[in-house]
Amino acid sequence: MTESTGQLGPNFIRNIIDEELAANKHDTVVTRFPPEPNGYLHIGHAKSICLNFGLAAHYGGRCHLRFDDTNPIKEEQEYIDAIKADLSWLGFDWGQHEYYASNYFETLYGYAERLVEKGLAYVCELTAEQIREYRGNLIEPGRPSPYRARPVEENLDLLRRMRAGEFPDGSHVLRAKIDMAAPNLNLRDPVLYRILHASHHRTGSDWCIYPMYDFAHGQSDSIEGITHSICTLEFEDHRPLYDWLCEAIGIYHPRQIEFARLNLTYTVMSKRRLLELVNEKHVSGWDDPRMPTLSGMRRRGFTPGAIRTFCDRIGVGKSDSVIDMSVLEDCVREELDTTAPRAMGVLRPLKVTITNYPEDQAEEFTVPRHPKNPDMGRRTIPFSREIYIERDDFMEEPPKKFFRLGPGREVRLRYGYIIRCDEVIKDPVSGEVIELRCSYDPETAGGKLPEGRKKVKGIIHWVSAAHGIPVEVRVYDRLFNVANPAGDKQCDYREHLNPESLGVLTDCLVEPGLVGAQPGEVFQFERLGYFCIDRDDTAHKRVFNRVVTLRDTWAKLSANNLNR
Ligand code: ATP
Ligand code: MG
């Protein structure tokens, strides 16, 4: 696998553009990323962003950010702000090129009148249901609306009165006059404008008719001089309409190219469903670290570089596929392995008393922040008579291959001494192991092994009890417990929510060197994984999110194993 380049690899769209440039069809490449501001961006959008901005960068062109804000009911300023923040975080810069379809409402309306004047659009008074009924289906041709033959003058008058607010919602629509027998249903006189007496977050009450997606999208592309309008495969069937509208209106005609959308296992990616998860409080918000949103991933500790690498790696093609979540997690691991400083943290502490270590003594080990990168410098970790180790690193009756602590066994403390477990203390009531009493070998500090001494196989992490900082650690598992939660026709995707997707560990301890670390900083807790300081973190309550484990052990372990 290659390093993160943040660059777009070769793909079929590049081949198309190369050919066009060779034939002098364009002298520059202009693309756009066109989110509808009705939700937060998710990892699927990242694929589209990397592609559109990547093409612009590759050809020295530009990429516009255009808000496709033609539906006043579902759109809000909050989403616009969040989308811009996510795009910047991901590392893309649209410069001056921030546009809104709503800024073109007057121009689009002008196009509508032009179509009417050319006899290519008419005002229809069928209800939405009747329109559907008249449209026919894949086997049967549609029937013409009784309003289809209205004279131009009457259409123009009605359209103007629609705009002036004379009619209630749903009473009239403007439709293109194309072909009610067309094999492609999108060409059977599609609706271009509808009446909606609703206030728009940008244009207020200026309008009570709003263009449909198909009438706004391609026309906005045209107005902005987009050369390549890149969208996902489900719009392939809309391309004939895209082309027809540009030609019928008589405006510059960009080329629409479709690619396969990104699907990921164990999550959902439609904004409608993500909004439901938020509204119904199945998650804590759009930026819940279990969400496939960019804001969720950012909060969890995923890096923009890892997401860009992921988008490079999955490539751009024409056939739909589902990518395993572990591919994304591997990209995150690879990047954090080189960038995250190391630290020691204990998630489920078990007390260890070093009986032969003086009570009033403490010492410090000076160790690297990163084993492979000396430039990161060194850190000191305090050691004292009482330490905590991971509960999992002790077994009362260890099997043969268990090289960590057990009664009478020896283990090395990472960067410290070899200790031996002499005594196991249990809670008299519950029988639970509550403390280990161990002795240390003073000759073995910092990895030393005196001549003739038997080697110890296991190395475990630890934190000094007196010095460690108490923290909360949130560990995340898949949000859903089936690979394709939305693909089950028998039951609602919410039935597949994983009840164990969030684990909160409240008794954790981390080494004191992390005292000044800030929200967003990521560390590798040795032997455990990568952990990021959450934005809920305060001086009173320190909170870490587990970004990812060190290896992809998920597939092998049960969903409720929180520790690895
Ligand atoms: P919805 O989830 O409601 O269908 P959407 O995902 O299409 O909405 P938009 O805001 O319209 O949301 O998307 C903006 C751009 O991102 C579009 O060009 C769309 O094709 C692209 N996009 C959306 N989802 C994906 C995905 N899963 N993979 C690749 N591109 C995507
Ligand atoms: Mg869309």
Side-chain angles (χ1 to χ4, degrees):
M1 293 268 175
T2 52
E3 291 260 298
S4 164
T5 55
Q7 293 275 316
L8 186 71
N11 59 52
F12 78 96
I13 299 179
R14 267 182 50 185
N15 297 343
I16 291 174
I17 297 177
D18 286 342
E19 279 168 25
E20 289 175 349
L21 289 173
N24 286 322
K25 226 185 132 199
H26 317 280
D27 43 25
T28 185
V29 170
V30 185
T31 56
R32 84 285 171 270
F33 173 64
E36 187 183 347
N38 61 352
Y40 282 55
L41 297 182
H42 54 59
I43 183 74
H45 292 117
K47 178 176 181 181
S48 170
I49 293 166
C50 289
L51 176 58
N52 279 296
F53 279 90
L55 286 170
H58 181 81
Y59 292 103
R62 61 177 197 269
C63 180
H64 295 183
L65 168 59
R66 182 196 324 131
F67 291 100
D68 233 329
D69 56 348
T70 54
N71 182 351
I73 295 176
K74 292 185 181 163
E75 297 162 3
E76 287 171 32
Q77 187 63 36
E78 174 198 346
Y79 297 132
I80 292 180
D81 298 340
I83 288 168
K84 284 170 29 177
D86 286 346
L87 255 177
S88 297
W89 174 74
L90 201 53
F92 296 99
D93 181 8
W94 56 96
Q96 304 299 304
H97 300 288
E98 179 176 325
Y99 303 106
Y100 294 82
S102 58
N103 285 355
Y104 310 138
F105 279 169
E106 194 62 54
T107 309
L108 296 174
Y109 177 79
Y111 293 162
E113 286 207 353
R114 200 185 300 177
L115 286 180
V116 170
E117 282 162 357
K118 288 183 167 182
L120 294 174
Y122 61 98
V123 173
C124 181
E125 291 169 49
L126 293 179
T127 63
E129 194 170 321
Q130 287 170 324
I131 290 180
R132 216 171 304 125
E133 221 175 272
Y134 274 71
R135 186 181 297 134
N137 52 43
L138 289 174
I139 305 152
E140 289 169 39
R143 284 173 293 139
S145 156
Y147 304 99
R148 198 172 199 259
R150 248 199 246 274
V152 167
E153 280 316 309
E154 199 181 315
N155 281 319
L156 208 50
D157 175 60
L158 284 169
L159 177 60
R160 288 177 181 162
R161 288 165 61 197
M162 278 169 66
R163 175 184 181 168
E166 284 188 30
F167 306 119
D169 290 0
S171 61
H172 298 68
V173 291
L174 181 74
R175 298 177 68 176
K177 195 173 187 175
I178 309 181
D179 179 1
M180 286 310 289
N184 183 335
L185 299 188
N186 291 310
L187 295 179
R188 295 186 187 172
D189 292 8
V191 173
L192 305 180
Y193 264 96
R194 57 183 170 154
I195 302 173
L196 215 54
H197 291 270
S199 169
H200 185 279
H201 65 111
R202 283 178 63 85
T203 58
S205 55
D206 291 356
W207 294 88
C208 62
I209 57 172
Y210 290 94
M212 302 302 288
Y213 174 86
D214 282 323
F215 190 62
H217 191 83
Q219 287 49 57
S220 303
D221 286 343
S222 174
I223 291 167
E224 291 175 17
I226 301 297
T227 54
H228 298 87
S229 177
I230 294 160
C231 60
T232 42
L233 283 178
E234 64 273 23
F235 290 100
E236 200 163 15
D237 285 351
H238 294 240
R239 185 172 3 114
L241 178 56
Y242 186 106
D243 295 341
W244 186 91
L245 282 168
C246 286
E247 294 304 317
I249 301 165
I251 49 176
Y252 166 72
H253 184 166
R255 175 167 182 181
Q256 175 178 310
I257 303 174
E258 308 86 16
F259 72 103
R261 67 192 294 123
L262 168 65
N263 300 298
L264 260 194
T265 54
Y266 295 97
T267 191
V268 293
M269 216 111 76
S270 104
K271 282 189 281 188
R272 176 178 62 80
R273 294 197 176 99
L274 295 175
L275 183 64
E276 281 168 359
L277 293 176
V278 172
N279 286 344
E280 295 166 15
K281 305 211 183 313
H282 298 292
V283 294
S284 64
W286 284 98
D287 72 345
D288 186 300
R290 293 165 292 177
M291 290 281 270
T293 52
L294 297 183
S295 51
M297 292 181 177
R298 170 166 66 238
R299 181 169 172 193
R300 176 145 167 186
F302 285 23
T303 60
I307 293 173
R308 292 195 306 264
T309 302
F310 170 73
C311 292
D312 282 356
R313 218 168 259 182
I314 57 177
V316 177
K318 267 275 185 198
S319 54
D320 270 315
S321 65
V322 185
I323 308 285
D324 200 87
M325 187 70 101
S326 63
V327 178
L328 174 58
E329 290 175 348
D330 274 340
C331 295
V332 174
R333 276 186 197 102
E334 276 169 40
E335 182 172 327
L336 292 179
D337 180 41
T338 59
T339 58
R342 285 7 184 201
M344 287 206 282
V346 173
L347 298 190
R348 300 183 200 245
L350 174 62
K351 186 174 162 185
V352 171
T353 304
I354 319 279
T355 51
N356 58 341
Y357 196 88
E359 238 165 274
D360 51 358
Q361 192 173 316
E363 65 190 290
E364 277 182 341
F365 304 122
T366 301
V367 308
R369 276 190 210 288
H370 194 291
K372 286 171 269 179
N373 184 357
D375 291 346
M376 282 197 191
R378 296 170 77 76
R379 68 192 213 264
T380 54
I381 40 181
F383 177 75
S384 62
R385 180 181 157 91
E386 281 184 4
I387 61 170
Y388 284 99
I389 66 165
E390 206 69 61
R391 214 157 246 292
D392 272 12
D393 284 334
F394 170 80
M395 278 184 94
E396 215 176 349
E397 287 167 33
K400 226 176 172 181
K401 285 262 159 80
F402 187 83
F403 298 115
R404 293 166 271 163
L405 263 189
R409 291 186 174 219
E410 287 191 328
V411 78
R412 180 176 285 283
L413 297 175
R414 176 75 164 150
Y415 298 123
Y417 298 104
I418 292 176
I419 59 171
R420 188 184 61 230
C421 176
D422 304 316
E423 196 183 340
V424 179
I425 315 271
K426 294 185 183 174
D427 182 287
V429 181
S430 69
E432 189 196 2
V433 176
I434 51 172
E435 183 186 341
L436 305 177
R437 297 179 71 79
C438 299
S439 48
Y440 85 113
D441 179 348
E443 303 299 309
T444 58
K448 273 194 242 102
L449 198 67
E451 283 240 352
R453 197 188 198 294
K454 203 173 129 234
K455 238 187 139 179
V456 169
K457 266 204 173 150
I459 302 179
I460 63 172
H461 59 275
W462 53 277
V463 173
S464 164
H467 305 88
I469 311 171
V471 301
E472 174 177 307
V473 175
R474 299 174 186 166
V475 295
Y476 302 102
D477 199 344
R478 304 290 191 254
L479 185 52
F480 292 91
N481 48 27
V482 297
N484 183 9
D488 185 345
K489 297 276 173 293
Q490 308 301 318
C491 76
D492 186 85
Y493 73 100
R494 282 164 286 206
E495 305 273 316
H496 298 297
L497 276 164
N498 174 9
E500 317 266 359
S501 62
L502 168 65
V504 181
L505 305 172
T506 51
D507 306 323
C508 318
L509 281 168
V510 298
E511 63 176 69
L514 302 194
V515 69
Q518 296 298 313
E521 277 190 66
V522 180
F523 298 88
Q524 185 197 96
F525 290 177
E526 301 207 26
R527 301 179 62 233
L528 294 176
Y530 297 94
F531 294 79
C532 172
I533 303 192
D534 189 72
R535 66 162 165 72
D536 282 353
D537 183 86
T538 64
H540 304 292
K541 184 178 160 201
R542 309 236 56 184
V543 182
F544 281 83
N545 295 314
R546 187 175 65 193
V547 189
V548 276
T549 51
L550 284 187
R551 278 173 294 278
D552 179 22
T553 50
W554 186 81
K556 288 173 222 118
L557 292 170
S558 68
N560 59 7
N561 186 329
L562 298 178
N563 214 13
R564 303 242 174 263

